[in-house]
Amino acid sequence: METRDKDGTSPPSSKKKNVSKEEEELQGQPGICGLTNLGNTCFMNSALQCLSNVPQLTEYFITNRYLEELNFGNPLGMKGEIAEAYADLVKQAWSGQHCSIVPHAFKTKVGHFASQFLGYQQHDSQELLSFLLDGLHEDLNRVKKKEYVELCDAAGRPDLVVAEEAWYNHKRRNNSVIVDTFHGLFKSTLVCPDCGNVSVTFDPFCYLSVPLPVNPKRVMEVFYVSMDPRRKPEQHRLIVPKKGKVSDLCVALSKHTGVPPDRMMVADVFSHRFYKIYQLDDPLSSILDRDDIFIYEVSPRAGNDEGMREDIVLPIYLRERSPARDFNNSYYGLMLFGHPLLLSVPRDRLTWDALYHILLYRLSRYVARPSSDDDDDGDDKGDGGNKGNNPSKSGQTAGGNPQDPGLDQAGPSSGVMGRNRAPADNSPGPSNWPQRSRRKHLFTLQTVNSNGTSDRLTFNEDGHGVSFSSQPYIAIDWEPDMKKRYYNEVEAEGYVKHECVSYVLKKAPVKLQECIELFTTVETLEKENPWYCPNCKQHRLATKKLDLWMLPEILIIHLKRFSYTKFSREKLDLLVEFPIRDLDLSEFVIKPQSESEPGLYKYDLIAVSNHYGGLRDGHYTTFACNKDSGQWHYFDDNSVSPVTEDEVEAEGAQAEGGQPEGGQAEGAQPNFSGPPEPPVCSPPNCENMDVN
């Protein structure tokens, strides 16, 4: 049991005596105070450290000016409790008496007013910061009774007049230290695509959420399986259009292999089966980076030429028989293993015998042929053991002689025919086909469902072979002793890496100004969020443009590193370069400059929120510049250490490391002159750093 004081800190008698010289120097310095991680609360600690190092706001609380402005009667506020809890935390951190503090009281208060932060789940630091700034504003709002204000469109009036009106109306309802410090003004322009009606409004903002330029290219790793049984599967790294189709993936692979794209089939392999077989016009966005994609070479598609035969592509599964688990000896004892196969077979010459020999050829790299001694043994057992063979229990017996002349030279889609043809009668299945002296068979064949878990009889027989009523899936069933004797698992799992695997798609870093420029470009509204045109009296997909009209004293910049599609979400790892001093945003501010009062739009960096890890997990830390000493420090929960400006730039803009699920290096997301807006948080076990 560890004893704590009421404020959550350790009493003098129980504090650690063995502290480093560096920690001794930090003790007693205002603002150099860590925050204990209460359990997945690094997202909260990072946001608090950034906000705590905003000089104007911290001075406001330390000097108790907030006491005069607490608004206990605001129905939109929290009865002053959030402001008081934050004030207590800031006073402790800047008292110079603590090396670290436990923000338990503040965490409890936040959870009381925002149920999403109850408990100790992982959260987004931006969500906490947004809640905290809004809560502090309402608790400290100088407007005790908000009057009704009607929002007015520009209606052709000059921008300067409309902007002053909008800001005046905003201050009539919202007047606090948060508005004074963090609020700016947007100009929003909407244009109806039908009638051309233009709507101009001016809206306040508390932080800039700017997008990152999205790379139009995407790197995908696939395994190529050739029809040549002697060739091992090849791993390829392909660069394809991010918004392309599966056909683009085949075209990219064709440049490496020389195989035409129309002789390729793309499949997602999961748990030894085909999770999905893609069509050429399927979007690449439906394929996730973590999917195991196999591209198989198949026979050419049947064209209009009468001389071209029609091939059917059979998905082939591998199964091993184990003791059945129920009383009637059914197929619950068959387990999938290995990699599945897509096999081209001539439709008009397909028989079970021919399929067996084609499979022997395709598997010849890792399936051994029986020796002559094995064949003799097979004759003795085969003549007696195959009488009355029931396919419902044992599958279609793959008979025939593996040593028949010409089979070794047969290609994988050569249409090799077995000597057994299905008779031209209405016999129910291969069990009634003419039997002949059998050699030792290595495996049996069975039609199965797409999961390979249950058998199905979807074939018809006539004098010309086997026809299927739907897309067939074939399972190769092995007896354990036969598999152990003839199946080489090491060779079957082997593959080679193509030279393209060493290629890396280098992502050129972008400047922060490029992200802000992208934020101010014209965009078309999405179908889910149309604009109601007052002229057309209809919802329209209008074009929208945001411009910066007035910037605040402390500017918070949040880079949106989340990219969402219908099938996936990812964290963008683009490197973003930013300066420590003199970030000039004057080119983006459209408010006319006054010679007597020129606008000051240059910012110095004072705090950075770092996120280590990927989309689903990670850890938050903070870089912050002390308002008193000007010294930068690195805050990692309750640990604090001094750093140089060079380290801040290097870690922030140039940080690299391995990313989960095959991603590239992580980049930097800066917050200038203010607190952070980071992405998702979780346990601190990842190597990447991302700056928000």
Side-chain angles (χ1 to χ4, degrees), residues 295-362:
I295 300 182
Y296 297 85
E297 180 188 2
V298 295
S299 298
R301 309 290 199 275
N304 297 326
D305 299 337
E306 295 182 358
M308 180 176 287
R309 70 165 186 262
E310 181 185 2
D311 282 10
I312 182 174
V313 177
L314 300 177
I316 307 294
Y317 291 157
L318 299 173
R319 302 193 300 184
E320 181 179 4
R321 191 182 306 279
S322 58
R325 299 177 183 175
D326 64 354
F327 64 92
N328 63 357
N329 197 31
S330 67
Y331 282 100
Y332 290 97
L334 285 167
M335 301 296 294
L336 290 168
F337 71 94
H339 296 302
L341 183 68
L342 288 179
L343 182 70
S344 297
V345 182
R347 181 185 291 272
D348 59 346
R349 289 179 286 177
L350 175 61
T351 66
W352 290 109
D353 205 23
L355 180 59
Y356 174 79
H357 293 302
I358 294 174
L359 284 169
L360 276 183
Y361 176 79
R362 284 298 300 269

Side-chain angles (χ1 to χ4, degrees), residues 224 231 250 253-264 297:
Y224 169 68
R231 295 180 58 182
C250 296
L253 181 60
S254 177
K255 295 177 181 178
H256 292 183
T257 62
V259 176
D262 61 352
R263 295 187 58 180
M264 296 180 183
E297 180 188 2

Side-chain angles (χ1 to χ4, degrees), residues 614-680:
L615 180 66
R616 297 173 181 83
D617 54 13
H619 178 58
Y620 284 108
T621 62
T622 304
F623 286 118
C625 181
N626 187 276
K627 68 180 182 65
D628 296 334
S629 64
Q631 170 68 47
W632 282 88
H633 292 87
Y634 180 66
F635 297 85
D636 185 356
D637 289 332
N638 60 344
S639 174
V640 185
S641 57
V643 292
T644 64
E645 288 187 3
D646 292 340
E647 290 178 278
V648 175
E649 289 182 318
E651 291 290 336
Q654 306 298 332
E656 295 187 5
Q659 173 168 344
E661 300 174 4
Q664 300 299 319
E666 289 291 343
Q669 290 183 204
N671 285 293
F672 293 92
S673 303
E677 312 280 29
V680 208

